[in-house]
Amino acid sequence: MDPKPRVGPPNAVILILAYLLLPIGSEGTVTPLLAQETRHIPVSLEEVRRIAAEGHPEVQAAQARAQGAFSQWDGSRAYRRPSVGVEWDALRTNDPVAAFGSRLRQGRFTEADFSPDRLNRPDALGDWAVGVGAEWAPFDPAATSAARAAQALAQAAGLGAEWVAEAAAYGAELHYLESVAAESRLAAVEASAGSARENLRVTTRRVEEGLATEGDLFQAQAGLENARAQVIRAEREIHDARERLGLALGWERGQIPVPVEQDMAALPDLPVPARGDVAVELEGRPDLLASMAHLEASAERVREARRARLPSMEGFARVGTHSQAPFGGAETNWMVGFRVRVPLYSGGGLTDRIEALDAERLAHEREHDFRVREAEVEVSEAVRALASAHEGVEVARAAARASGEAARLMRRRYEENLVTAADLMAVEARAAQDAVGEVDAAANLAMAAARVRFLSGVHHAAQTRSTSPAHHDVESTVPMPSTDPSLNLGDNR
């Protein structure tokens, strides 16, 4: 007799499955996968835009880079202020020059020190010195251009952070619309499933009365199962859209956003610029302003290289004490002066650097022109897509209305035994398809309007960009966003 077969998986398989279902958390503890708490948080469209513009990781990273760029700009202007340093030196030497100078600084030079033997072979001498020095370069044309280049780069980084925030808000808005559209599709397919259940009930009654065949009953059952499958798919699409929306908001796992609008018709009316206003609003787009700032920075770097040939002036001062012992009597001395540097020849390196930077400036200029042209084309495409979406909504709405009325009439004729079940199933399938098509057309219209607002900068133009007093400078050539770390660069439009 064969041995009794084993029932159930082996112990090793059970351990593997248990390990997969018990992921290890960041603290090293084992957390059951099903024990993770899920919170459903209602949000509105405006809240979604604001949260994404503030909390998305890419926005926060761009803001950090912008803050670093503004700090570099501050550092580039440090040459305008004097630098002060403290020095402390301890020396012991028998070098003739060092010994001679140290005795002079300590005020201990005597007539006997002029002896040739002591001058040539002095005894070892200790010198303890403390000094305070300052340097200042009030006139440096190259450093001035370098500071202006850093200023333009800081402005570009700040404007770039604003554009990243706009893009994050736009992406979250699209996911929000996807989620609302999924809710509307679920409502449409649930209505279709209700009709399928009613058809099955009527068909079952007619079969019992001998007015329909079993084939009609099977068709009604198939129609109901197809409607159930569509409901399941629509429910999955809702969960997927909400999870993508949570990711766009930068939320942690387990926090699920739920749109407060459950239907496309309930969405708020948002402004859409007219075709003639798009060009004006396009001029204020942060990404194009950032591109212009990059171009200005490139031009300033060329000026910096050219100004390196100009003279620069530097002033300096120092006060110091020298003594033979650490706590002995100290002799104080000071000096004040200035120097002028005039570069005459750099071996040709400066000329090569100017040519390289000028070529880079030309590349930035060509890229900026292309970005502007590309933005104009994208906006034109978006405006045409919006007009097409408006027409698509009207067509889809009319089709859904007509097919719904046709299904209602066909159902009545079916109940009166004037048409077959196959005829009814075909008409109702078309009605369900047109109902979903109406939802898709409404979602397409809302997304097309959102794209026009995003590309034309209408959200950015609706607010005033502020300039931080801490970074206000008369040399500014590009509008600057706020650099206060407590403020959000994405909202500083």
Side-chain angles (χ1 to χ4, degrees):
M1 178 180 290
D2 294 335
K4 184 177 180 179
R6 296 177 59 185
V7 179
N11 293 335
V13 176
I14 295 176
L15 292 176
I16 293 175
L17 292 176
Y19 178 77
L20 293 176
L21 293 176
L22 298 175
I24 299 178
S26 59
E27 298 289 335
T29 59
V30 178
T31 305
L33 185 62
L34 299 179
Q36 294 178 354
E37 181 182 1
T38 300
R39 296 173 53 202
H40 292 81
I41 305 173
V43 289
S44 65
L45 179 57
E46 188 59 31
E47 289 174 337
V48 161
R49 288 187 53 83
R50 177 182 57 80
I51 294 172
E54 295 177 355
H56 196 281
E58 291 183 355
V59 176
Q60 296 175 348
Q63 291 173 349
R65 294 190 185 96
Q67 191 62 43
F70 275 104
S71 297
Q72 289 181 351
W73 174 31
D74 283 339
S76 68
R77 295 185 295 175
Y79 77 95
R80 298 177 177 177
R81 299 178 291 270
S83 60
V84 181
V86 178
E87 302 174 359
W88 182 83
D89 297 325
L91 174 69
R92 186 165 183 81
T93 180
N94 66 349
D95 178 76
V97 175
F100 187 88
S102 296
R103 286 185 180 276
L104 284 176
R105 295 189 186 98
Q106 295 172 6
R108 297 192 303 112
F109 207 89
T110 62
E111 185 176 348
D113 293 321
F114 281 101
S115 169
D117 185 62
R118 297 191 63 176
L119 288 174
N120 292 323
R121 288 178 293 278
D123 297 332
L125 178 70
D127 184 52
W128 299 79
V130 177
V132 178
E135 295 182 355
W136 184 34
F139 180 76
D140 192 337
T144 300
S145 292
R148 289 176 178 171
Q151 176 190 12
L153 290 176
Q155 294 165 0
L159 291 165
E162 292 185 23
W163 183 244
V164 171
E166 286 289 337
Y170 167 66
E173 182 176 355
L174 293 185
H175 290 303
Y176 187 92
L177 296 175
E178 288 178 355
S179 183
V180 176
E183 294 279 357
S184 299
R185 291 191 199 97
L186 177 61
V189 298
E190 284 180 340
S192 175
S195 299
R197 281 190 294 269
E198 179 63 18
N199 292 338
L200 180 60
R201 186 189 66 80
V202 174
T203 303
T204 302
R205 176 176 55 80
R206 294 187 63 192
V207 170
E208 293 174 352
E209 295 174 352
L211 300 177
T213 65
E214 290 186 356
D216 296 332
L217 181 61
F218 288 144
Q219 284 186 339
Q221 290 176 343
L224 177 59
E225 295 305 323
N226 288 332
R228 288 176 178 173
Q230 292 179 359
V231 170
I232 294 173
R233 182 164 54 250
E235 291 176 343
R236 176 183 58 81
E237 290 176 352
I238 289 176
H239 293 300
D240 292 344
R242 289 179 178 179
E243 190 170 3
R244 286 193 296 268
L245 177 57
L247 182 63
L249 296 178
W251 284 3
E252 298 179 355
R253 181 185 303 174
Q255 294 180 324
I256 306 299
V258 179
V260 296
E261 293 89 1
Q262 300 296 316
D263 186 83
M264 295 300 299
L267 289 172
D269 293 332
L270 297 177
V272 178
R275 183 185 296 268
D277 298 334
V278 168
V280 177
E281 293 169 347
L282 191 61
E283 295 177 358
R285 264 181 41 173
D287 63 325
L288 299 182
L289 292 177
S291 178
M292 177 62 73
H294 274 291
L295 179 59
E296 178 63 22
S298 182
E300 285 295 343
R301 292 189 63 191
V302 175
R303 297 189 190 101
E304 175 192 357
R306 289 173 176 170
R307 289 183 172 185
R309 290 174 170 155
L310 299 178
S312 62
M313 185 176 64
E314 177 183 356
F316 57 90
R318 188 182 187 281
V319 177
T321 63
H322 292 267
S323 61
Q324 184 179 9
F327 303 102
E331 191 73 17
T332 303
N333 53 71
W334 58 269
M335 63 178 175
V336 176
F338 73 93
R339 66 175 64 94
V340 177
R341 290 192 176 96
V342 180
L344 298 177
Y345 181 65
S346 61
L350 187 57
T351 301
D352 293 337
R353 182 168 181 263
I354 293 174
E355 292 177 354
L357 291 176
D358 192 56
E360 184 178 355
R361 180 202 58 78
L362 181 60
H364 279 294
E365 183 178 352
R366 297 293 182 267
E367 291 173 349
H368 174 72
D369 293 340
F370 178 77
R371 289 190 186 99
V372 173
R373 178 58 181 150
E374 184 180 34
E376 293 173 349
V377 171
E378 288 178 344
V379 170
S380 298
E381 292 176 349
V383 170
R384 289 191 294 270
L386 179 60
S388 177
H390 273 292
E391 297 176 358
V393 166
E394 297 299 328
V395 172
R397 187 174 298 154
R401 189 183 303 114
S403 60
E405 183 64 18
R408 186 186 66 81
L409 296 175
M410 187 64 72
R411 189 177 302 109
R412 180 180 298 177
R413 291 168 61 88
Y414 178 70
E415 293 174 353
E416 296 173 355
N417 200 27
L418 297 177
V419 295
T420 65
D423 296 332
L424 177 60
M425 297 299 110
V427 173
E428 289 198 336
R430 179 56 184 268
Q433 180 180 356
D434 288 343
V436 174
E438 182 180 8
V439 173
D440 292 340
N444 184 42
L445 175 60
M447 292 181 181
R451 180 168 176 78
V452 172
R453 288 192 298 271
F454 170 63
L455 293 178
S456 62
V458 65
H459 284 292
H460 184 89
Q463 303 183 27
T464 302
R465 185 184 301 113
S466 62
T467 302
S468 172
H471 291 97
H472 181 72
D473 197 299
V474 296
E475 300 171 356
S476 177
T477 57
V478 181
M480 288 180 294
S482 171
T483 57
D484 188 342
S486 64
L487 299 179
N488 180 272
L489 291 176
D491 289 338
N492 191 16
R493 298 185 285 273

